[in-house]
Amino acid sequence: MSRWGKQQDRMVVRAVDVLSGVLSGAVPEPARRVVASRALLAVEELLFPMHEELVLEENADAAAQGATAEQWADDAAVRRWVIETLAEHASSYNELHDVWDEDPEYVEPRGDHPVWALLELLPFPRRLRLLQEAAAKTAVGLGGDVGVGAHQIGHWAAGRSRPGDGEREALAGALGVHPAWLHASRDEQPDVQLYRFASCPCEKPAALARLGLGRDEPDWYDSPAEQAAAVHWCGGCGQGWVKDAAGWLLPLPPGQEPTPSDGDFVDLGRPFSRGPSVTLDEPWPRALWQLPAGRKGRARTAYQVPELLTREPQDLPVRLAAARVVPPEPVWRAGSAERLAANASWCRTCRTLVGAHEGAAGGPWVLLHRSEPERGLSTWTYPTVKDALHHGAHLAMTYLQLDDGPLDRVAEDLFVGQAHAQVIARFLELHPETTQFEVTELVPMRASEF
């Protein structure tokens, strides 16, 4: 406990808020288990500094993998799951490292360690602490704005008492948020609206690129390649997301995976901006919380209040799990027009392209490819680079669809998201010596000029 202080308090409160916001009321599934493991690991690293990193990761992974829907039923259930998990890990930690009550490295499975009180905090005191920290207000300053003493702010933040209606209004005004966020009816409701999004909520959202979780990430998906397809990075703010079965974007807590660099490209040629490194010590997710222009992150620097928090909170709509796309059997030995018509029955991009290709000179881009086994290279022209890569991805998917098995799930996931260049890369990854499919060149000229 010797290294415990306000910074550790903040990180625990934020990790629990992320866990509750992402998990409450949700069925355990790969995307949520990834977030659960990451956020839980952030707390374990603070509590168990003598553990090796691999042990911490394995403990967090096992807890997330074993969680049930009942353990994530609501905020109280999530916190109870975290407490029981950490208490069990504390016992094994003390035994493994042979530390006892008087040792500074000893972690009581339940008792005086400050982490246990932090894990008991209801949503309202967590909300107050995190908003106060983001606003860079001390208890004295916030109390002065509200008209109460600093000790009263401390009581509210510790969950020992709750403010009255007038004090809640004053708190909202001082913190710059809509009063409804601090209404008494939300005191025990987690802020799921801050952790589940239909699209990236940053100021300048850009195309989402899929990059890897890294080799050390737990095997939540069917294959390493599926893991690599699981993370969506926003080109505008650099926030990493994982997508659940219903299509919600869930913020991916910081971890060990490689982050996008200047060499990564999104949406066929737009460079990806490099984002600053972040931890759960800072307001999260960073897609929402931004420092004022020209200000660098440091203690007591107020973050901009997200527009979402300046409006009355709305219940998130119920989203059913997306129906799985089942491509039909591939169309063999047919021209591009026939294949396009067949693919239009399930591919939304093909539906928009039906009728776009007329004759041999359909556009300025020529895709050179070997479309079927033992055939020579052929050509077809397309209006744009994206259209050419789209058809190339269809060709790749045809050969990833095995006779005795389903279509390759990684390529399917990428393709439905329109990441066509990566579908082709996925095929070449699986079949580096292929003679069945090959994009040899993308030529910027008409077929008649080729």
Side-chain angles (χ1 to χ4, degrees):
M1 196 189 300
S2 58
R3 290 185 291 274
W4 202 271
K6 290 184 177 180
Q7 181 184 26
Q8 287 71 25
D9 282 358
R10 287 197 302 270
M11 292 186 70
V12 170
V13 172
R14 181 158 291 113
V16 173
D17 208 57
V18 171
L19 284 165
S20 184
V22 170
L23 307 181
S24 291
V27 176
E29 60 175 339
R32 282 185 168 80
R33 293 190 194 278
V34 169
V35 176
S37 175
R38 288 288 184 85
L40 191 60
L41 177 61
V43 180
E44 298 239 359
E45 289 173 337
L46 299 174
L47 268 183
F48 311 125
M50 295 174 65
H51 265 339
E52 294 182 0
E53 183 178 353
L54 182 60
V55 173
L56 294 171
E57 291 176 350
E58 289 178 347
N59 287 344
D61 295 348
Q65 285 281 37
T68 65
E70 183 180 359
Q71 290 174 311
W72 292 354
D74 52 30
D75 177 81
V78 171
R79 288 186 289 108
R80 192 161 52 247
W81 170 69
V82 175
I83 291 171
E84 291 171 354
T85 297
L86 293 179
E88 179 183 342
H89 292 174
S91 296
S92 60
Y93 173 79
N94 295 330
E95 182 179 352
L96 177 64
H97 297 287
D98 197 23
V99 293
W100 304 97
D101 295 21
E102 302 302 321
D103 195 301
E105 300 296 342
Y106 178 76
V107 180
E108 308 94 321
R110 298 284 178 91
D112 295 334
H113 196 290
V115 73
W116 306 117
L118 295 171
L119 295 177
E120 294 284 359
L121 290 177
L122 293 172
F124 175 76
R126 294 202 309 264
R127 190 176 299 130
L128 176 58
R129 285 174 178 241
L130 296 176
L131 289 175
Q132 180 184 346
E133 178 64 29
K137 287 183 177 288
T138 64
V140 173
L142 184 58
D145 293 338
V146 176
V148 300
H151 67 284
Q152 186 61 71
I153 299 294
H155 287 316
W156 294 338
R160 291 188 289 268
S161 63
R162 300 186 188 184
D165 293 343
E167 292 163 331
R168 290 174 186 272
E169 291 274 352
L171 274 173
L175 296 171
V177 303
H178 192 284
W181 287 96
L182 300 180
H183 192 272
S185 63
R186 295 183 57 82
D187 282 0
E188 298 184 21
Q189 295 181 19
D191 290 329
V192 296
Q193 296 89 341
L194 305 183
Y195 299 106
R196 306 177 194 182
F197 299 94
S199 59
C200 185
C202 68
E203 293 180 348
K204 297 180 180 179
L208 294 179
R210 290 174 177 83
L211 293 178
L213 279 169
R215 293 182 180 178
D216 295 331
E217 190 67 24
D219 187 18
W220 305 116
Y221 297 89
D222 291 348
S223 68
E226 266 192 275
Q227 290 177 218
V231 182
H232 303 252
W233 292 91
C234 174
C237 65
Q239 174 73 54
W241 304 92
V242 285
K243 185 179 292 187
D244 71 7
W248 290 116
L249 294 175
L250 312 175
L252 181 70
Q256 298 298 317
E257 80 284 351
T259 54
S261 67
D262 294 336
D264 296 312
F265 287 84
V266 178
D267 197 21
L268 304 177
R270 191 158 66 195
F272 205 102
S273 60
R274 185 189 298 273
S277 60
V278 294
T279 69
L280 286 180
D281 185 43
E282 303 172 13
W284 188 260
R286 74 163 168 218
L288 280 181
W289 297 96
Q290 301 294 327
L291 286 168
R295 300 292 294 275
K296 296 182 179 180
R298 64 177 186 276
R300 297 301 171 195
T301 297
Y303 284 74
Q304 297 176 4
V305 177
E307 183 182 355
L308 177 63
L309 285 170
T310 65
R311 306 190 303 266
E312 185 175 359
Q314 302 294 319
D315 292 336
L316 293 178
V318 176
R319 299 184 67 164
L320 301 177
R324 187 162 185 80
V325 174
V326 181
E329 290 296 319
V331 179
W332 294 94
R333 300 202 176 275
S336 293
E338 290 80 3
R339 291 188 179 186
L340 182 65
N343 291 329
S345 66
W346 68 277
C347 173
R348 61 179 180 266
T349 298
C350 279
R351 283 195 291 272
T352 66
L353 293 177
V354 170
H357 302 293
E358 297 180 1
W365 292 92
V366 177
L367 179 69
L368 307 181
H369 60 84
R370 179 176 287 113
S371 60
E372 293 184 10
E374 302 178 358
R375 288 189 62 175
L377 290 176
S378 57
T379 67
W380 192 255
T381 58
Y382 302 88
T384 68
V385 173
K386 185 174 182 179
D387 295 335
L389 289 179
H390 179 83
H391 191 190
H394 265 299
L395 295 171
M397 290 176 71
T398 296
Y399 292 98
L400 288 171
Q401 190 169 0
L402 304 178
D403 293 338
D404 298 323
L407 181 68
D408 180 81
R409 294 184 61 188
V410 182
E412 180 183 330
D413 176 63
L414 289 168
F415 188 85
V416 172
Q418 306 302 295
H420 310 112
Q422 289 162 287
V423 175
I424 298 172
R426 166 66 175 162
F427 180 88
L428 296 176
E429 172 192 343
L430 293 177
H431 306 287
E433 304 301 326
T434 184
T435 58
Q436 294 186 344
F437 172 80
E438 180 183 359
V439 176
T440 58
E441 196 171 359
L442 195 60
V443 183
M445 61 179 65
R446 292 185 177 275
S448 59
E449 301 172 349
F450 178 66

